[in-house]
Amino acid sequence: MDEDQQKKRNSDEQVKFGTDGIRTTIGNDPLTTSSLIKLGAAIGKWVYETSTTKRVVLGHDTRYSNAFCKAALKTGLFQYPIILSDCGVIPTPILFHRTMKQDYDAGIMITASHNPAHDNGIKVFAKKIGKIGKNEESLILNHFNHNSNLPFYHQLGQEELLLDTLSWYTDLLTHQFKKDFLRNIRIAVDCAN
């Protein structure tokens, strides 16, 4: 690929944070292989430069595209010496609480919430603030658009699986309510997508 083609390709790749992270249809930027790898590297660099523990927790919903999104994001994230804890399939509030209450500097949730199944998205949380704001988004976007650094091949990121997430969250919830607080109450659940 010549230099002009590379410049055009780079200008075609776009990341835009909306009101609740990044969402679009799989196959559209930034939910393509190259853009997800770049986004993972941008988030990895942001965590590496701004955090203390260099630890990230990641989770996802049950969309068919999650394995693809997660693999590409991890490829980018592991270009920096961070530790990634993979929770697997979990609801967004669990990932949020793990980010805020445990030893993680950031959390990444792969989900498009109520959007159609062919969409997906990325939500990013930070330890002290919860859902990232404009300042953090700008730092990540700057890394996405201008990061030409080679990976730390001598010190790549690492991964650990978290198998206790659902029991951890159940304990967290049960300690916040009195025993039998829902006795004789009917509950309706709308599971959407």
Side-chain angles (χ1 to χ4, degrees):
M1 182 181 303
D2 69 21
E3 190 175 331
D4 289 335
Q5 288 173 319
Q6 184 63 42
K7 284 181 183 176
K8 174 162 182 10
R9 181 177 176 192
N10 288 342
S11 69
D12 290 343
E13 295 175 331
Q14 295 183 17
V15 174
K16 292 180 184 161
F17 284 90
T19 56
D20 203 14
I22 298 165
R23 291 185 188 170
T24 192
T25 302
I26 291 295
N28 292 334
D29 277 324
L31 299 185
T32 62
T33 304
S34 60
S35 288
L36 282 166
I37 292 171
K38 279 180 65 175
L39 180 59
I43 295 170
K45 185 173 184 178
W46 168 67
V47 169
Y48 180 74
E49 291 180 346
T50 62
S51 72
T52 54
T53 68
K54 315 289 188 247
R55 294 178 59 87
V56 177
V57 62
L58 179 140
H60 56 84
D61 63 19
T62 58
R63 291 168 191 272
Y64 76 94
S65 59
N66 282 329
F68 163 77
C69 291
K70 184 163 65 167
L73 275 174
K74 283 182 178 182
T75 299
L77 285 163
F78 290 144
Q79 293 179 28
Y80 291 88
I82 62 167
I83 298 172
L84 179 69
S85 300
D86 189 341
C87 294
V89 176
I90 57 169
T92 302
I94 297 176
L95 184 94
F96 177 83
H97 279 284
R98 275 215 112 135
T99 304
M100 301 303 287
K101 296 190 179 294
Q102 292 190 311
D103 195 22
Y104 298 104
D105 291 307
I108 302 169
M109 184 68 191
I110 304 171
T111 181
S113 299
H114 61 278
N115 286 28
H118 57 75
D119 287 355
N120 214 329
I122 312 293
K123 294 181 183 185
V124 182
F125 303 110
K127 176 78 169 183
K128 296 179 181 171
I129 59 174
K131 188 169 68 168
I132 63 170
K134 296 294 180 196
N135 290 339
E136 294 77 20
E137 289 173 2
S138 294
L139 288 170
I140 292 169
L141 291 176
N142 186 52
H143 293 324
F144 181 89
N145 292 319
H146 301 103
N147 190 4
S148 59
N149 294 343
L150 292 174
F152 287 81
Y153 285 119
H154 61 284
Q155 190 180 2
L156 297 169
Q158 301 173 31
E159 179 178 30
E160 63 184 16
L161 297 178
L162 292 179
L163 303 176
D164 70 333
T165 300
L166 293 177
S167 62
W168 174 85
Y169 191 64
T170 301
D171 288 344
L172 177 74
L173 290 178
T174 56
H175 287 91
Q176 294 182 18
F177 300 98
K178 294 179 183 176
K179 187 176 180 180
D180 297 327
F181 78 101
L182 292 175
R183 184 180 299 273
N184 299 323
I185 295 176
R186 290 184 182 205
I187 299 173
V189 177
D190 177 4
C191 293
N193 279 316

